[in-house]
Amino acid sequence: VIAAAQSYLETVGQNRLAEAFDRFDRFSWNRARMKQQRSMTSWWLQQAVNELWPRSLGPWLGDLLAPVLADVLSELLEGNGVTVTFPQFEFGSAPPEIVELVEVISEPNQYILDVRLRYEGPVHVRLRASSARYGSLVLAVQDFGIHGTLRLQFMQFVPTMPLFSRLRVSFVDPPALTVSWQGE
């Protein structure tokens, strides 16, 4: 009876071990396939950014950020009577780098891509801070860098190109920034 029980346990144990290895092989294959798919998606996304950056994405982003940053900085300095404007706000011609696709979330009403992004390069940004009391100060940003995980949230799908009518862009966590300033 003991020998039969040991034989039964060994057979069951071997079967379970074989099942576990089979699951691990499928998991490893799926992980390799997901990694390949993520690599292809990040490659495709990088190609799109490379194509669109100098003519539309870079200028659009500058036009979007300049008034928002001016308002935020003016509010922060309002107690001192300082007003902030950006007479020039242009990103360079080199596009940001999509380092990797971190996560893809597909839901019925939205599609989310989290991508690790890196941008480093020369920019053409001039910031003017002025007040009646202190006069005017102009600062130029020469080099700018940003590293972080960018979330692209595509929503409100439509049957025609570009297949969505709403895009929300944000960072998952605060990005790391490097800025090189020069006074004028």
Side-chain angles (χ1 to χ4, degrees), residues 21-107:
F21 278 119
D22 185 47
R23 280 191 212 133
F24 180 75
D25 285 343
R26 282 191 307 243
F27 176 74
S28 296
W29 182 82
N30 285 338
R31 278 188 43 202
R33 186 171 178 201
M34 282 189 328
K35 187 174 182 180
Q36 182 182 20
Q37 287 173 338
R38 286 181 179 180
S39 176
M40 286 298 294
T41 302
S42 62
W43 177 85
W44 172 86
L45 192 56
Q46 183 66 60
Q47 296 308 309
V49 168
N50 290 349
E51 210 41 53
L52 295 172
W53 183 258
R55 290 183 297 281
S56 58
L57 279 180
W60 170 80
L61 192 57
D63 291 345
L64 178 75
L65 289 178
V68 171
L69 289 175
D71 288 346
V72 168
L73 292 172
S74 292
E75 281 184 33
L76 288 173
L77 299 169
E78 187 176 15
N80 297 321
V82 177
T83 304
V84 176
T85 59
F86 286 94
Q88 183 181 23
F89 201 110
E90 300 169 11
F91 286 96
S93 60
E97 177 188 358
I98 306 297
V99 177
E100 71 173 318
L101 179 62
V102 177
E103 187 170 16
V104 176
I105 302 167
S106 180
E107 296 176 355

Side-chain angles (χ1 to χ4, degrees), residues 134-149:
Y134 300 110
S136 183
L137 169 70
V138 177
L139 296 173
V141 178
Q142 294 178 318
D143 291 310
F144 175 77
I146 188 166
H147 304 242
T149 301

Side-chain angles (χ1 to χ4, degrees), residues 115 117-119 144-150 170-178:
V115 296
L117 175 88
R118 177 176 40 230
Y119 180 83
F144 175 77
I146 188 166
H147 304 242
T149 301
L150 187 71
S170 62
F171 280 94
V172 174
D173 295 310
L177 295 173
T178 55

